[in-house]
Amino acid sequence: MLVGDVPLIARARRWRKMLGGGMRQAGIVAAAGLYALDHHVERLAEITPTPRHSQMDFPKSGD
């Protein structure tokens, strides 16, 4: 959940769209991810690269 003023919400929506949040068939991608979590958890460490950031770097409100 994201709470903020109108410009912050507008920027967050734009980021969401740029990162694929507007995909119509997102359920297909989600289903593949859920299958992988259910059947290949032990391989997760070897096939997933280490993230450089623990969270997205959204601009602060007022920037």
Side-chain angles (χ1 to χ4, degrees), residues 2-5 7-9 11-12 15 55-63:
L2 181 65
V3 178
D5 57 6
L8 175 71
I9 300 299
R11 284 195 311 268
W15 273 99
Q55 58 184 328
M56 292 205 69
D57 189 20
F58 283 106
K60 300 264 190 284
S61 180
D63 286 349

Side-chain angles (χ1 to χ4, degrees), residues 6-54:
V6 173
L8 175 71
I9 300 299
R11 284 195 311 268
R13 283 185 176 148
R14 183 161 192 264
W15 273 99
R16 184 189 68 185
K17 295 288 185 178
M18 289 189 310
L19 297 174
M23 293 182 358
R24 291 179 181 259
Q25 299 295 328
I28 300 297
V29 177
L34 289 173
Y35 179 87
L37 286 174
D38 286 342
H39 296 90
H40 301 291
V41 174
E42 64 282 351
R43 292 197 57 218
L44 202 55
E46 69 184 60
I47 63 175
T48 305
T50 304
R52 286 187 261 167
H53 304 287
S54 61

